[in-house]
């Protein structure tokens, strides 16, 4: 047993971190929120070049996967940098296309997804598809059919302004088969990773702020109430992390309890990221409540990811399912 | 010990209910954090004041009804139960007016209050500065004496309503040589369109400009717009902070109405056997009821001349945390619609704007950390000092 | 409206406080826990002389009641002093005997209950009767019958050592009628009051301890983490208190929503007393975990009263019942 | 990154499981906080050690199997899954033994460890004093040099196991003149039946004598029972506190087994649609799983020579709060039986004793307040100082 990222995996996350730090990701997020998808698409292409979108696609379809551990590590970084776009949805579509009976659509879409040439999204368990207005293809699932939508309804904004939601409309079935549960699991898994990254970013930024912000003549990080709130935030996140990688290992092994492990990780990462957001907001005070301060990019996302692809209640039920 | 209303109070409630039923707009006004919504809310203030409902607890000469605190609480219950619009004049009514009643001159009251009551003047608060959030003693913006008045220079921030308001009030450092940092502050009122004022709206989490930065560069304020004595601003500002304000910052009516709406949402949307959600809805109902009764107790004590001091800190922590939990429960009840923003089209639930608003509760008007310190030190007598 | 205790009610609570302070109540509690009911019975008789047990009994049966506000105020003091015995049960029996059809048993028992000559207990919603071994009469309710038990099973101890639980056995019906809900409501109401008093005692004692106990060279009450835990404990209790008296006013008025008000008070007082116990234990450290230190008398009681006469879950359901 | 066990580890697990299935008493032993139960648990230690299961991670020469941390974790999982008795030797094994391995002499190890492994000597800890709970630097009990050794005088308290144990270990002030309060302490071992020792058992919340006060009046300790150099006791005690001990104070096996039992209780007792209880059971399962995996990560890091420093504070807060929530959930699932004490007759659920035990978790071995300070200061680098 070696329950740690190996050197190569660690280097992969560092590469992503460097790329996303250098790329001024917050500016791309703000453009995306305003409906300007250009900088976000450019970012996706650079991410695709590192292989991020190939991790859930098998070699048969020009991917590298499935590599759930690497996927988790990568999506943590995507969350840490608040990367916009239909990230978990891309994973879900990739899994669906590979598992459904029909190889035609898989050959058509998967190589393009893996290489970043196509951005896709879907609606599966809920009514909305994320970022349908930015995607090259919008799918929805009707019973066991994967339907390529021919359009979408009006775009609604989320408490995370970078999430833009719309209902897919119409279209025709492109594939058929009972892979919905598996795709939803992978999307929940990717969302858990992203949420963990969001929570980590919130905690890191708040720790840094608490060191430099002074009130009453002292750095606020010297106040015990501040220390304890941050300690609790970090405890939550650091015990979410092993659940995430435990789920990755279960997925990689095709373990029968992978779905339950994913649900556990989703609860823990989603709830701890949300708790970190509440703490970040409270300790930043008014500035954290401000849209123009970058912290807001993560606060809204923590709120949305807590329920996306499986509410805490649904996930807890799954944890105890037989 | 009783919870009985007099026939007069019952009649007052009935009158308020009837008037509200006839006048509350059938469709919600646009968000008051937009220019259009602000104007609509100002118009609503005019409608309220036309029937003397905008400031019921004030003396009649300033536009009120001389209502007791209890009647004010009754009015608030009816107001929020009727789903009436948010109060764009809240800053002026709950923060500035009590100070004017206690420390203002007759002239100031006559000049400021009727226009506040009618919505003609909407007030923004200008307390915070970039380096002084909860720590008002470290304010840096200055008021310098000049002929016939003062010149204000510096920067204020998190000035709520300032994006669209007419005037503002705040503390300024008038004596940099004072021996302690919270001395040497002066309480002043100024116009937001005065020469030297630059207003830069700031978007809150959902992007709406709920507050602004104010850049002040030699803004002239006549002596008549100083409240209390120069250099006594801290005392002037604090003297009303813990007393009536502790009762009136957020009335129980808001939370009773919100808990009712939450219960309705739950009955419509939830599986009744989902006890996890049921318990959270019940806790919202219990919390709103507790806050109402707690307030009646305080109002009774207040009516007998009792003091509501550090108890307003109990209040603040309680309602601000109740408000967040209540709105979190609502978003969870809404399922996939829970993350949708209000105000971008049809199907607004009203809950997400309320949720974003609730998140500010534990931060503003003295963070909940400071309130807990106050409870521990002033109410429980624990030693001050190390934090 | 005057939602405050009046001077007479306040003086009544002060009288009880003085009586129970002077009586060395903790020693009576410890004797009671060891099965020696003598000091506890003596305490009950002194309490009866102040009228405590007459507050739920009408004048027809030589009582003073029903006076729910005074009952609440008194039971808060009983909780504050950790008075042992079947307190809420006495109230429930009193209500049942008055409401059931048969006046015979009411005339037999109520004057003795009101005067403190008889100590009674009952099992109603659960299987156990509190302190059956100390009581002069043990009742149980079977369907709509009030049964005077002819004995009880083995006595089990509770996490509150002063609570001794046994199953009533056998006996014959002494009265009949559908008053069970009302009696359970009154018992829940009395339990809420007692719990509030328990919580207040825990908070008072812990505040006092935090002022005198030093660690790391300073009174522990100067640490912000200690301050905030105590502030939260007090907030919980101070918002339980008005719910309790609101329920009292509703009971006094015979309001149709009295039962829901009682349930709200029971949740708030029970949960906040339990939270106060957790805080008291945490801030006292090891000494609070010690049976010989008096704090333990309240800690166990807070745990037991949280669920006695209506669990938090049952009460929350009732709050939302139509 | 993997969670695979080697064939050797699997075989080790199978061997442990088989042995435990054959040897764990069919009916639970009496509470180890009673004289009778203590004796029964001591006998169980002898049984364990007879098959080299009492201290699997120790070298073979002292009665162990030289097992890796991972094998130790495997053993603990099997041990608690088999519902085996609590470990009366826990104090010695988890607190004293690591110190002897790091700072003891060969002679001390040979004298102390085999008798600890076999249950022949049961150790109590003697850290706390009435005025020094978490603040060990303020210890007052003294060790004074005498011919061939030391004389101990003073009072210790909250000495767990001391009501029935054989020997104790702790820190004593040997140099009252030391320049800083945590210097001048010496780490010593002494017999509880030595002349000058008075043991006064103290009942915990449920009355059981889980610890004792020790009154020491000139108790002679030979030089050979000093661990490390005199005056270096603080360093000796602390050097093992954060490292392996952070991994071994409470093994994940305990919580995995408890969460499994809770799940079984829930399936037997609860209405499956009662989502409020379901969520709490799920959180216990999730928490136990998280703690297991977190520990595997730490064990992997440790196996590669990494340091487990302030991370043991994350650990401590997490398991202690998990343990309480898990037991609170169990008591709620038991309904009216939830408040019944274990150990007073038939029908013991085992849950109430576990609940009382869990309540001590956030207090002992460094309160959770101190752990949170350590996390904030050492792991996150927040400024020390004001608390």
């Amino acid at each position: 047993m070696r329950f740690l990222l190996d050197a190569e995996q660690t280097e992969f996350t560092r590469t992503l971190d460097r790329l996303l730090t250098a790329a001024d990701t917050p500016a791309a997020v703000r453009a995306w929120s305003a409906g300007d998808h250009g900088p976000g698409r450019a970012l996706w292409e650079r991410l695709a070049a590192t292989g991020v979108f190939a991790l859930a696609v098998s070699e048969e379809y020009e991917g590298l996967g499935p590599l759930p551990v690497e996927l988790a590590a990568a999506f943590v970084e995507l969350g840490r940098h608040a990367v916009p776009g239909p990230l978990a949805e891309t994973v879900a579509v990739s899994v669906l296309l590979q598992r459904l009976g029909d190889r035609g659509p898989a050959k058509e879409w998967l190589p393009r997804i893996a290489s970043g040439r196509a951005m896709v999204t879907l609606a599966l368990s809920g009514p909305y598809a994320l970022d349908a207005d930015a995607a090259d293809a919008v799918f929805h699932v009707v019973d066991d059919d994967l339907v390529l939508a021919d359009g979408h309804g009006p775009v609604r904004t989320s408490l995370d302004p970078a999430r833009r939601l719309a209902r897919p409309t119409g279209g025709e079935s492109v594939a058929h088969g009972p892979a919905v549960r598996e795709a939803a699991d992978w999307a929940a898994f990717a969302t858990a990773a992203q949420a963990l990254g969001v929570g980590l970013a919130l905690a890191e930024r708040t720790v840094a702020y608490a060191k430099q912000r002074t009130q009453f003549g002292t750095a606020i990080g010297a106040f015990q109430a501040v220390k304890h709130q941050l300690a609790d935030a970090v405890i939550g996140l650091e015990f979410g992390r092993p659940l995430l990688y435990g789920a990755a290992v279960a997925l990689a092994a095709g373990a029968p309890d992978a779905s339950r492990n994913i649900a556990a990780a989703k609860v823990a990462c989603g709830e701890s990221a949300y708790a970190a957001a509440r703490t970040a907001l409270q300790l930043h005070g008014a500035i954290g409540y401000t849209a123009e301060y970058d912290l807001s990019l993560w606060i809204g996302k923590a709120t949305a990811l807590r329920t996306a692809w499986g509410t805490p209640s649904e996930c807890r039920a799954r944890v105890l399912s037989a | 010990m009783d919870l009985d209303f007099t026939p007069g109070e019952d009649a007052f409630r009935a009158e308020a209910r009837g008037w509200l039923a006839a006048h509350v707009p059938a469709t919600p006004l646009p968000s008051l954090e937009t220019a259009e919504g602000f104007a609509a809310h100002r118009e609503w203030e005019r409608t309220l004041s036309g029937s003397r409902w905008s400031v019921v607890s004030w003396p009649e000469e300033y536009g009120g009804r001389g209502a007791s605190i209890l009647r004010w609480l009754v009015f608030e219950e009816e107001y929020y139960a009727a789903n009436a619009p948010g109060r764009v004049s809240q800053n002026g009514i709950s923060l500035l007016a009590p100070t004017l009643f206690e420390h203002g001159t007759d002239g100031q009251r006559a000049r400021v209050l009727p226009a506040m009551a009618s919505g003609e003047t909407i007030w923004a608060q200008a307390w915070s500065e970039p380096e002084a959030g909860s720590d008002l003693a470290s304010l840096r913006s200055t008021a310098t004496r000049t002929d016939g008045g003062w010149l204000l220079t510096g920067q204020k921030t998190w000035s709520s309503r300032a994006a669209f308001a007419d005037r503002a009030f705040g503390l300024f450092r008038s004596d940099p040589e004072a021996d302690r940092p919270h001395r040497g502050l002066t309480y002043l009122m100024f116009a937001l369109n005065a020469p030297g004022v630059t207003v830069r709206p700031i978007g809150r989490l959902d992007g709406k400009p709920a507050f602004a930065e104010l850049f002040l560069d030699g803004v002239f304020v006549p002596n008549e717009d100083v409240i209390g004595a120069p250099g006594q601003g801290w005392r002037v500002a604090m003297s009303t902070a813990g007393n009536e304000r502790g009762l009136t910052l957020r009335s129980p009516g808001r939370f009773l109405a919100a808990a009712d709406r939450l219960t309705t949402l739950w009955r419509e949307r939830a599986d009744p056997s989902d006890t996890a959600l049921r318990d959270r809805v019940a806790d919202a109902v219990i919390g709103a009821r507790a806050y109402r009764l707690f307030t009646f107790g305080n109002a009774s004590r207040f009516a007998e001349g009792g003091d509501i001091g550090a108890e307003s800190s109990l209040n603040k922590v309680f309602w601000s945390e109740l408000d967040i939990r209540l709105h979190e429960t609502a978003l969870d009840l809404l399922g996939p619609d829970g993350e949708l923003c209000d105000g971008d089209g049809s199907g607004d639930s009203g809950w997400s704007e309320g949720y974003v608003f609730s998140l500010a509760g534990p931060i503003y008007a003295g963070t909940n950390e400071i309130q807990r310190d106050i409870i521990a030190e002033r109410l429980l007598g624990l030693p001050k000092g190390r934090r």
Side-chain angles (χ1 to χ4, degrees), chain A, chain B:
Chain A
M1 176 182 305
R2 189 180 180 284
F3 191 57
L4 294 174
L5 293 180
D6 65 26
E8 200 176 334
Q9 290 160 341
T10 304
E11 183 48 36
F12 179 45
T13 67
R14 292 214 181 111
T15 301
L16 291 172
D17 184 30
R18 279 191 297 265
L19 185 163
L20 292 165
T21 303
D24 191 10
T25 306
V29 179
R30 291 184 185 284
W32 191 273
S33 305
D36 168 10
H37 300 118
R41 288 296 296 248
L43 196 61
W44 270 56
E45 282 168 30
R46 298 187 58 191
L47 288 169
T50 70
V52 164
F53 303 119
L55 297 170
V57 177
S58 67
E59 290 181 21
E60 181 184 358
Y61 298 109
E62 302 176 28
L64 304 164
L67 290 171
V69 173
E70 284 75 5
L71 186 79
F75 272 61
V76 169
E77 286 308 310
L78 302 184
R80 267 190 72 225
H81 288 275
V83 170
L87 293 163
E89 291 71 17
T90 297
V91 172
V93 171
S94 299
V95 170
L96 265 176
L97 286 170
Q98 288 170 92
R99 296 298 185 285
L100 293 174
D102 197 336
R103 293 185 76 245
K107 288 187 106 158
E108 180 185 350
W109 285 103
L110 287 169
R112 293 164 62 197
I113 290 171
S115 67
R117 277 172 290 142
M119 179 180 278
V120 297
T121 188
L122 90 166
L124 197 158
S125 47
Y128 303 111
L130 181 62
D131 297 316
D133 56 336
D136 301 304
V138 180
F139 295 92
H140 48 154
V141 171
V142 182
D143 300 324
D144 279 348
D145 280 308
L146 181 66
V147 176
L148 179 60
D150 52 23
H152 61 80
V155 174
R156 313 268 322 253
T157 56
S158 156
L159 288 168
D160 174 7
R163 285 170 64 89
R164 300 157 58 80
L165 303 163
R167 290 174 194 266
T169 51
E172 288 190 7
S173 173
V174 294
H176 180 88
V180 170
R181 179 70 252 157
E182 202 179 348
D185 278 345
W186 275 79
F189 169 65
T191 305
Q194 210 186 337
L196 177 63
V198 166
L200 291 170
L202 287 160
E204 288 161 16
R205 283 169 176 264
T206 308
V207 167
Y209 183 78
K211 289 177 187 173
Q212 57 90 358
R213 168 75 169 172
T214 61
Q215 289 276 274
F216 306 102
T218 186
I220 63 169
F223 290 109
Q224 201 178 26
V226 172
K227 286 181 185 176
H228 286 200
Q229 286 182 60
L230 281 169
D232 282 332
V234 167
I235 291 167
L237 295 165
E238 289 304 328
F239 282 87
R241 192 198 298 268
L243 287 168
L244 174 69
Y245 286 107
V249 170
L251 266 182
D257 65 350
S259 178
R260 292 203 297 279
N261 277 291
I262 289 167
K266 178 69 175 51
V267 173
C269 295
E271 295 282 28
S272 64
Y274 184 70
R278 288 286 312 279
T279 295
L281 187 53
Q282 186 63 23
L283 300 187
H284 276 79
I287 198 168
Y289 192 68
T290 311
E292 65 191 45
Y293 189 68
D294 282 349
L295 192 78
S296 64
L297 307 181
W298 286 270
I299 288 178
K301 203 173 286 296
T303 308
L305 296 185
R306 176 176 163 271
T307 50
W309 292 104
T311 65
S313 173
E314 290 160 356
C315 290
R316 288 186 173 106
R318 180 161 298 275
V319 165
L320 292 177
S321 65
Chain B
M1 173 165 274
D2 72 273
L3 289 163
D4 300 334
F5 294 100
T6 62
E9 286 157 357
D10 285 337
F12 175 83
R13 185 189 289 276
E15 186 190 349
R17 185 177 297 182
W19 187 89
L20 288 160
H23 292 85
V24 168
T27 49
L29 303 185
S31 167
L32 72 78
E33 316 295 3
T34 62
E36 177 201 6
F38 196 90
H41 282 78
R42 187 198 289 268
E43 187 55 36
W44 169 247
E45 291 291 323
R46 184 188 309 275
T47 305
L48 278 172
S49 78
S51 301
R52 290 190 176 262
W53 290 115
S54 68
V55 287
V56 295
S57 62
W58 291 8
E60 294 191 16
E61 59 182 303
Y62 300 121
R65 293 169 174 243
S68 64
I69 284 187
L70 191 56
R71 286 191 187 208
W72 177 79
L73 290 168
V74 165
F75 173 73
E76 291 275 299
E77 288 184 10
E78 294 301 322
Y79 189 86
Y80 288 102
N83 214 3
R87 297 295 304 274
V88 69
S89 289
Q90 168 94 4
N91 272 320
I93 293 171
S94 74
L95 298 173
L96 177 59
T99 302
L100 285 173
F101 281 119
E102 192 165 338
H103 297 281
T105 63
D106 284 345
Q108 286 172 332
R109 284 191 279 268
R111 208 165 61 241
V112 171
L113 294 177
M116 184 190 292
S118 69
E120 186 188 327
T121 309
I122 308 285
W123 289 84
Q125 53 87 353
W127 299 121
S128 295
E129 297 183 3
E131 296 303 317
S134 295
D135 179 12
L136 288 183
S138 67
L139 293 174
R140 293 183 190 172
S141 294
T142 57
T144 315
R145 269 198 197 279
T146 187
D147 221 28
W150 301 77
L151 294 174
L152 307 184
T153 297
Q155 185 184 347
K156 294 283 180 179
T157 192
W158 324 128
S159 180
S160 51
R161 295 291 95 76
F164 307 109
D166 306 298
R167 292 177 65 79
F169 53 91
L171 293 179
F172 291 82
R173 188 160 300 286
S174 53
D175 180 5
E177 310 292 308
D179 54 347
R180 290 179 61 184
H182 61 271
R183 295 193 185 142
L185 295 168
T186 296
Y187 195 131
L188 299 110
M189 306 179 279
F190 57 100
L192 288 169
N193 63 356
V197 179
T198 306
V199 178
R200 192 181 75 83
I202 310 176
R204 68 175 179 196
L205 279 182
D206 60 2
K208 291 171 187 157
F211 30 50
E213 280 184 314
L214 306 179
F215 299 92
L216 307 168
D217 181 12
V219 178
F220 178 74
V221 176
N223 283 325
E224 63 183 21
D225 284 347
V226 172
I227 307 178
Q232 296 297 309
W234 174 271
R235 211 178 55 76
V236 170
M238 291 300 122
S239 65
T240 48
N243 211 336
E244 196 163 344
R245 194 185 133 202
L247 276 175
T248 59
L249 186 62
R250 286 277 173 274
S251 78
R254 293 177 83 100
F255 304 101
L256 291 167
D260 271 353
R261 282 200 296 278
L262 184 71
T263 306
T264 303
L265 182 70
W266 172 70
R267 291 198 201 285
E268 286 167 5
R269 294 258 187 154
D271 173 358
S273 77
D274 186 339
T275 52
L277 274 167
R278 181 205 68 192
D279 282 359
R280 293 165 69 194
V281 173
D283 281 341
V285 171
I286 294 168
R289 190 176 294 178
Y291 186 43
R292 177 182 200 240
L293 294 169
F294 182 89
T295 303
F296 283 151
N298 270 347
S300 301
R301 203 169 297 126
F302 193 71
E304 298 185 0
D307 194 41
I308 316 297
E311 275 158 36
S312 69
S313 294
L314 297 172
N315 232 7
K316 163 77 204 299
V317 176
F318 188 81
W319 66 249
S320 60
E321 300 199 338
L322 167 64
D323 205 24
I324 291 180
R325 285 196 306 275
L326 192 157
H327 283 88
E328 286 176 339
T329 305
L331 297 193
D332 279 353
L333 276 165
L334 289 169
D337 288 348
E339 69 168 295
L340 295 180
C341 271
D342 290 325
D344 74 337
S346 60
D348 287 358
S349 69
W351 288 109
S352 88
E353 178 146 343
Y355 167 73
V356 172
F357 185 75
S358 76
L359 290 175
I363 297 168
Y364 81 114
T367 66
N368 283 11
E369 285 74 22
I370 290 175
Q371 304 297 345
R372 288 190 173 91
D373 284 347
I374 293 173
I375 292 165
E377 292 168 12
R378 297 197 207 152
L379 216 57
L380 306 181
L382 292 172
K384 255 188 95 81
R386 299 178 74 172
R387 289 204 167 79

